[in-house]
Amino acid sequence: MFKARLADPKILKYSIDAVSNMIDEAGVSVTKDGLRLKAMDPAHVALVDLELKKEAFDEFEVEEPLVLGIDLERLNTILKRAGTDQILIQLDSENNVLKIRFKNSSTRTFDLPLIEVSEEELKVPNLDFPSQIEIPPKILSESIKDAEIVSDHVTLMVDEENLFISAKGDLGNVEVKVPKDEAKSFEVSKSCRSMFSLEYLKDMIKASDIADSVKIYLGDNIPVRMDFTTENARLSFLLAPRIESE
Amino acid sequence: MHVDELVDSGIPTRVIEVLKDNGITKLYPPQRDAVYEGLLDLKESFVIAVPTASGKTLIAELLMVKSILDRGGKCLYIVPLRALANEKLEEFRKYEKLGIRVAISTGDYDSSDPWLTNYDIIITTSEKADSLLRHRSEWLGMVKVLVADEIHLINDAGRGPTLEVTIAKLRHLNPQLIVLGLSATIKNADEIASWLNAKLIKSEWRPVTLRKGVYFNGEILFDDSSIIEVEPLTNGELFNLALEPVKESGQSLVFVNTRASTERFALDISRISKKFISNSETKALKDIADEALNVLAEPTRICKRLSKCIECGSAFHHAGLAAEQRRIVEEAFKNNLIKVLSATPTLAAGVNLPARRVIIRDYKRYEPSLGQSHIPVLEIHQMCGRAGRPKYDEYGEAILVAKSFDERSFLLDNYILAEPEAIYSKLAMESVLRVHTLATIVTGFANTKQGLIDFFSKTFFSFQQDPWVLEGAIMKSLEFLMRESLLEEKGEYITPTPFGSRTSELYIDPVSAVILRNALFKARDRDTNEISYLQAIAGTPELGKMYLRKKDYDACLEFAYEHENYLLFGIPSEIIDPWNFEEFLSNLKTVMFFKDWIEEVSEEFLLKKYNLGPGDIHNKVELADWLLYSMAEIGKLFKIPKIREVLKLRVRVKHGIKEELLPLITLRGIGRARARRLFARGYRTLGDIRKADVKELSRVEMIGEKLAKSIKSQLEGKEEKVGIERQSRLADF
C-alpha cells in the first residue's frame, strides 16, 4: 500500500521535468521517509539523485519499502496537465499501475502503468571538490540561458574573488561574473575550471524555479555537482565535463 | 551655353576641365536654366521636372561639386534602385581627381556605416537612407545637399512613402538642407516644389527628338498627324515594326506586360533577327550567349532560352533573370549587338537602355487587386522616353500598338497626346504608417502623440491632402504598436521598448517582428525543426504570398499534415475560418519552396514546380536570409535559446544546402553545387580536405586546380575547432 497527497504539485512537477529529459525510466524507492530516485542517463554523462522527504507531502502513507518502475517521460506528460490542482497518488498493485488524480472542481484520474526496471549498481565516482559555492538558483539559470544563445557548451570557473560562467560561439561571447559577495557561501581552495554541455545543463536548471538555493561543487576538468535544495526536497546532479581530447 | 561660362557661377576651372575631359562642352537648355535660376548660389532647393536623358544627372553633379568645394559637408544622392547606384558611382568618379570621395551605401540594413564619414558624395537608396537614420549615423548631420532622383516615385505605393519620409526627416535634421528633386515630367511638379520650398524648372526639351505614334494595320500615325507605312518584311506585324530600325543599324525595345510574353516574343523574333547580324557580330554574340548560359552552376530552361535568343541577336529582360544575366543583356544591347530587346515595364523605371524605336505592345496589365487595368500615362511616357540614343540617333520613335481603328484613336487621345497624371502621396495607409510611426519614435523625431502629428505634417501627404486622414491612420498604428509592446506610454510620452527599437533597426515591418517574436515564444517550449522557423518567416508581409493554384491545395495540405508536429501555427479550420485557411496554405507553399531548396532540389526543378525565374529564387533567398537574421536578433533580445537552430537554418537557406554540407560551405569559392560534389567524393569535413592534396582535390568535378589551391591555402593555419573537446563519462573519474 502506498498513498500520497500533494496540495501544491509544483515541487513534483518541476523536479520530474528537470529529470525526465535525461533519464527515460527509473526505479523510485518509497520508504517511510519519502521518495528517492537515483539514476544515470543512458550515455553515462549525468547522475541524478532526487529526494522528496515525506514532509514535502501533505499526506504520505506506505506500509513497507518498495521500488516503483516509472516511465519518467510519461509521468512528466501527465504532470504537465496538473495545473495547480491537488495531486493524489495511489498504488494499485493489483493492476500494477500508479493512479494519479488531479483534484479541483472535477477529478481527473490518470493510470500510469509501472514498468520493470533493472536494478544495477550505480558507479558513483568518488570526488574531491576544491571549490564549493552556494548561490541563488536564479543567477545560475539566467547565466545558462545566456550561454545557450551563443554556444552549446559553457565554462564554469572560479578564482578567489568570483565565479565566472562563460560561453564562446560564432555569434559572440557571453560572460557572467558572480562576485563573492553575491554568493551565500564561497569556499574556494584554488582556482579551477571545467567545461560542460548545455544540453544537460539546460534541463538541470529547470529545478531553479522550486529551489531556494543551489550549491555548486567544482574542480579542474572533473564532474560538477549541483545540489538544488529546499526545505523538504533535494535534487542533486553530477555531470561529467567536456574535456580536451589527446 | 558653353561650360566655360560656368566660371561666372563660381565653378572653378579645374571642374570645367574635368567636364571637358569627359566630352561635355555645352549645357543643355534645362541645365542652363537651372544655373541661371541660381542653383549654384547654394541658397535654394530646386525641383527639375524634365524628360529622361535630358541631363538631370549633370545638374546634380554641378550642385554637389560646388557645395563640397565651397563649404565642405556631404551630399546624399538617393537612387530609386540599387542597380542604379553603380551607374552613378561610375559617373561621379570623374571628380575623384579633384579630391572628392564617392561611396555607395546600399545593402546591410543593420549597420550605421560609420566609415562613410570619410566620403563626400554618398549614393544610396531611400530604404538604406531610412535605415541609416534609424541607426542614427552621425555623419547624416553633415549632409548639406540631398538629391532625390526620380522624386515622382513618391507616387509609388510600395516605396514612395519611404522616400517621402526620408526627405522629411533629413530636412527636419538639417533645416538648411538644400534639396534637389529630379522628376519626370508630371502634372503637379509645382506641388512637389512648393512642399520642398523649392524653385521649379519644368521643360519638355529632349536631346533627341521624340516622335510618338500609334501603329495600326500596316501604318504608323504620328502625333504630328503624319503617317508612314511599315515595310512588310514578314507576315508578323510586330516583327515588321521591330525590325524596321534594325535594317538601318538601329535597335528596338519592345515593352510587353508579362515575363512569359517577353520570352515568347524574343524567341519568336529570334528566327528572323538572326538575318540582320553581321559575321563579326555572330562571333561576339556566340560568346555572350555562352556567358549568359553559364551564370548559374547548372543552366535552367530560362538560361537556355536566353542564350538561344542572344545568339540570334534578340533578348528578353525581366526581374526573373539572374542579376548577372541582366547585366550581360544590358551591356550587349548598349553595344548594339542585341538588335531587339523585349522587356517588362519595370525596365523603363530602371536602367538607362535607349533604343531608336520603342514599341509598347500592351497598355494594360494585371494588378493584383484590380484585375486588368490601364497602365498610367506617366509610365507609358517613361517607356516612350527610352526612344532615341543621344549621339547615335537623329530621332527616336515611340509607338503604341492598336488592334482596331477605334483603339487607335483611344491610344492617341489617352496616351500619346495626354498629359501625365498628377502624383499623390501614398503615406496614409496603416501598413505603411506603422513602420514610419515606429521609426519616428525610436529615432527620437517625436516622443508624444502631438509630436508625431507635427512630424508627419511636414510630409508631402500633409502638404497635398487632408491631414486628418493621416492623423487617423497614425493613431491606429500607435494602437497596434503599443498593443504589441513595441512602444509604451509613460504619461504623455511615448517611448520605444527594446523590442521596438530593435525592430526599427532591423528594418522589418513591425507586423513581421511580432510574427517572429510570437513564433519564438511558441518554439521555446517544444520540439522544433526547420519547418517551424520557415513557417514563421513565410507568414511575414516581406516575403509575400506565393500564388496558390488549385492543384497546390492538396499538396500543401498534405505537407501540413506530414509536418504538423513541427508547425508553430496550427492548421485553421477550412469551414470556420476559410480566409485564414487559405493564407495558411499559401504560407505553406513558401515553406515547401524553402524546404525543397535546403534539401538541394535542383534549381531547374524549383523553377518549374513553383513557376519562378532564377532571379526570383535569389530574391526570396535574400529576403529569407534577412528575416532569419532578424529572428535570431529578436531571439537574443528575449533570451530564447533556440536561436542557434535559427542561425544554422539561415546558413542553409543562404546556400540552399542540407545540414551535412555546413562545414564545407565555410570555404570561399564553394557553393551548394561544389560542396555537394566534394561531399559525394568523400570529403565530408574540413579534416578530410586537409588530408587531401591539391591534385586529388582538383580531380573533383567543378573544382579546378586554381580553386583546389585556394581551398588548401584557406585551410592552412586554420585550426579545426570541431571535435577538440569531447564529452567525458562519469565512469572516467
Side-chain angles (χ1 to χ4, degrees), chain B residues 202-347:
Chain B
K202 199 171 178 179
S203 155
E204 291 291 340
W205 183 88
R206 292 175 45 95
V208 184
T209 317
L210 175 66
R211 305 179 76 196
K212 288 187 270 191
V214 183
Y215 172 87
F216 173 63
N217 201 19
E219 54 187 37
I220 306 168
L221 169 61
F222 281 103
D223 47 358
D224 59 3
S225 307
S226 65
I227 291 181
I228 61 162
E229 275 183 34
V230 178
E231 191 187 337
L233 291 163
T234 70
N235 47 18
E237 291 191 293
L238 270 179
F239 298 160
N240 297 341
L241 205 51
L243 290 170
E244 202 171 52
V246 176
K247 233 173 20 180
E248 295 146 15
S249 68
Q251 290 164 289
S252 290
L253 179 58
V254 185
F255 287 107
V256 295
N257 60 5
T258 65
R259 292 180 188 183
S261 302
T262 63
E263 293 178 22
R264 216 172 313 125
F265 185 85
L267 273 175
D268 287 347
I269 205 164
S270 68
R271 275 178 241 133
I272 312 158
S273 63
K274 68 177 171 213
K275 294 177 192 155
F276 293 90
I277 49 182
S278 69
N279 288 340
S280 62
E281 288 173 334
T282 309
K283 171 81 184 64
L285 283 168
K286 177 83 183 96
D287 291 346
I288 297 168
D290 281 345
E291 200 187 337
L293 182 66
N294 295 311
V295 298
L296 302 178
E298 285 148 83
T300 64
R301 261 185 317 169
I302 295 184
C303 301
K304 288 176 196 156
R305 261 180 228 158
L306 180 64
S307 162
K308 197 175 150 201
C309 288
I310 293 177
E311 242 187 287
C312 302
S314 73
F316 52 91
H317 188 291
H318 59 63
L321 291 183
E324 181 60 16
Q325 288 172 329
R326 288 202 296 264
R327 192 198 56 77
I328 292 170
V329 168
E330 286 159 18
E331 202 181 283
F333 192 74
K334 277 182 190 156
N335 294 335
N336 200 358
L337 287 165
I338 288 172
K339 306 296 175 189
V340 182
L341 178 64
S342 57
T344 50
T346 42
L347 182 74

Side-chain angles (χ1 to χ4, degrees), chain A residues 5-8 11 51-59 232-233:
Chain A
R5 185 169 66 87
L6 265 169
D8 179 5
I11 196 159
E51 197 179 351
L52 289 174
K53 292 189 188 132
K54 79 164 190 285
E55 289 79 13
F57 297 86
D58 298 279
E59 252 178 65
N232 294 316

Side-chain angles (χ1 to χ4, degrees), chain B residues 359-411:
Chain B
I359 300 163
I360 300 163
R361 191 191 72 178
D362 303 316
Y363 63 94
K364 288 181 194 168
R365 73 169 159 226
Y366 182 80
E367 298 279 353
S369 50
L370 303 168
Q372 284 292 334
S373 30
H374 288 181
I375 297 175
V377 179
L378 177 58
E379 273 185 55
I380 295 279
H381 281 202
Q382 290 272 89
M383 293 185 226
C384 293
R386 297 289 169 201
R389 312 210 320 164
K391 293 178 214 159
Y392 297 100
D393 297 331
E394 275 169 48
Y395 59 91
E397 292 170 331
I399 298 156
L400 276 75
V401 179
K403 285 167 214 75
S404 67
F405 189 75
D406 286 348
E407 199 173 57
R408 182 171 82 167
S409 336
F410 172 84
L411 291 176

